[in-house]
Amino acid sequence: MTKIKSPGKGGKDKQPAMRTPRIVSPQEWQAARDQLLVKEKALTRARDALAAERRRMPWLAVDKAYMFEGPAGRVGLLDLFAGRRQLIVYRAFFEPGVHGWPDHACVGCSLVADQVGHLAHLNARDTTLAYVSRAPQADIARLKARMGWQEIPWYTITDSFDADFGVGEWHGHNAFIRDGERVFRTYFIDGRGDEAMGTVWSYLDMTALGRQEAWEDSPEGYPQDQPYKWWSWHDSYVPGAAPDPQWVEVSDADEAAFRKRDG
């Protein structure tokens, strides 16, 4: 092990020397990395298998008519889908009594909101993300403007939605799917599971339909198409449009190169 001094605040050494790993040659570094890569690939396969199990979770019918306040007035849970088939609802703590009120939401919930990627990609998979809190809409609008969260649909809880779905006292993501006007709860992630949320992949992997790509282990009849082909620039998605043929050519070539590299 190599000892490196850890500078404290103001340039003063206030911490003991950090015991770092040994310094090696490029060849030794690559060998160590290749060894870890085997475990990383196993972790990826295990994560895929877990997502496949989520797609086989039983569904729970949501029979209560939950209501929220939105920017345009009173709306129901079905409205939060915004016409799409799937919905992910994150319960963020922003209300009187929460640390930071009224200028900020909960520190942890704010960190989660800062991680949210561009929602156009999630929407392209027929999935909507929405945030809900108990703060009035005027306060939510002010918070979104201040923190740069304007693209996140954010509603006010008006009933027992939070208590009924495990987020009355702690944050969490609930996933739903609809069949016409019938709504079903399909999965729930909270605690440290929320740390991984924010990318299009983490959101889709918690849903009943998954990424909807042909390589996934999904029940028969689930929507699936070829990976990469549905991707687009976030300002260029056109519902129902065929994939860009030039992008199809590029992605096919890249996929072939990856497969050749990985054997």
Side-chain angles (χ1 to χ4, degrees), residues 147-170:
M147 301 301 288
W149 299 331
Q150 292 93 332
E151 299 304 315
I152 302 177
W154 205 313
Y155 301 88
T156 301
I157 302 168
T158 66
D159 49 32
S160 61
F161 176 88
D162 46 3
D164 293 349
F165 289 97
V167 288
E169 298 180 356
W170 197 247

Side-chain angles (χ1 to χ4, degrees), residues 55-56 217-224:
R55 293 191 288 277
R56 290 167 171 82
D217 175 12
S218 293
E220 184 178 355
Y222 274 44
Q224 289 187 317

Side-chain angles (χ1 to χ4, degrees), residues 91-110 133-135 143 168-169:
R91 198 288 202 230
F93 279 84
F94 179 50
E95 60 194 64
V98 170
H99 174 64
W101 175 266
D103 296 324
H104 285 289
C106 156
V107 173
C109 293
S110 298
S133 298
R134 285 202 168 269
L143 177 71
E169 298 180 356

Side-chain angles (χ1 to χ4, degrees), residues 42-253:
L43 178 61
T44 297
R45 289 190 291 270
R47 188 166 55 243
D48 291 340
L50 180 60
E53 288 191 45
R54 290 193 190 110
R55 293 191 288 277
R56 290 167 171 82
M57 273 279 295
W59 295 0
L60 176 65
V62 179
D63 296 322
K64 184 174 178 178
Y66 294 99
M67 300 301 296
F68 305 84
E69 287 292 335
R74 198 164 174 82
V75 295
L77 180 60
L78 191 63
D79 297 306
L80 271 58
F81 283 77
R84 301 184 181 94
R85 190 173 184 182
Q86 296 191 125
L87 169 69
I88 299 168
V89 178
Y90 178 70
R91 198 288 202 230
F93 279 84
F94 179 50
E95 60 194 64
V98 170
H99 174 64
W101 175 266
D103 296 324
H104 285 289
C106 156
V107 173
C109 293
S110 298
L111 181 57
V112 173
D114 280 336
Q115 296 178 171
V116 175
H118 204 289
L119 297 178
H121 307 292
L122 192 62
N123 297 161
R125 295 278 87 178
D126 210 11
T127 303
T128 295
L129 173 71
Y131 271 41
V132 296
S133 298
R134 285 202 168 269
Q137 277 297 297
D139 292 301
I140 289 175
R142 173 176 50 79
L143 177 71
K144 290 172 63 175
R146 172 175 181 164
M147 301 301 288
W149 299 331
Q150 292 93 332
E151 299 304 315
I152 302 177
W154 205 313
Y155 301 88
T156 301
I157 302 168
T158 66
D159 49 32
S160 61
F161 176 88
D162 46 3
D164 293 349
F165 289 97
V167 288
E169 298 180 356
W170 197 247
H171 56 79
H173 290 81
N174 275 282
F176 302 91
I177 194 168
R178 70 181 181 92
D179 180 10
E181 294 191 354
R182 295 197 67 195
V183 176
F184 303 89
R185 187 191 195 193
T186 61
Y187 204 66
F188 176 55
I189 288 178
D190 66 347
R192 289 200 63 194
D194 282 338
E195 294 177 1
M197 305 306 292
T199 69
V200 62
W201 313 121
S202 60
Y203 288 133
L204 291 177
D205 282 348
M206 78 166 291
T207 65
L209 301 181
R211 303 185 185 193
Q212 303 164 52
E213 294 182 341
W215 63 270
E216 287 181 301
D217 175 12
S218 293
E220 184 178 355
Y222 274 44
Q224 289 187 317
D225 51 29
Q226 293 303 309
Y228 312 118
K229 307 303 183 291
W230 64 271
W231 297 5
S232 188
W233 296 289
H234 72 246
D235 64 347
S236 301
Y237 281 108
V238 178
D244 182 335
Q246 288 186 310
W247 170 239
V248 170
E249 183 179 351
V250 169
S251 62
D252 281 345

Side-chain angles (χ1 to χ4, degrees), residues 13-61:
D13 293 338
K14 293 187 177 181
Q15 299 179 0
M18 183 173 66
R19 294 180 62 83
T20 71
R22 61 195 179 92
I23 309 303
V24 298
S25 68
Q27 295 77 15
E28 290 175 298
W29 185 92
Q30 187 62 51
R33 192 262 177 176
D34 290 344
Q35 188 175 11
L36 272 181
L37 185 59
V38 173
K39 296 180 179 180
E40 288 179 353
K41 287 182 177 293
L43 178 61
T44 297
R45 289 190 291 270
R47 188 166 55 243
D48 291 340
L50 180 60
E53 288 191 45
R54 290 193 190 110
R55 293 191 288 277
R56 290 167 171 82
M57 273 279 295
W59 295 0
L60 176 65

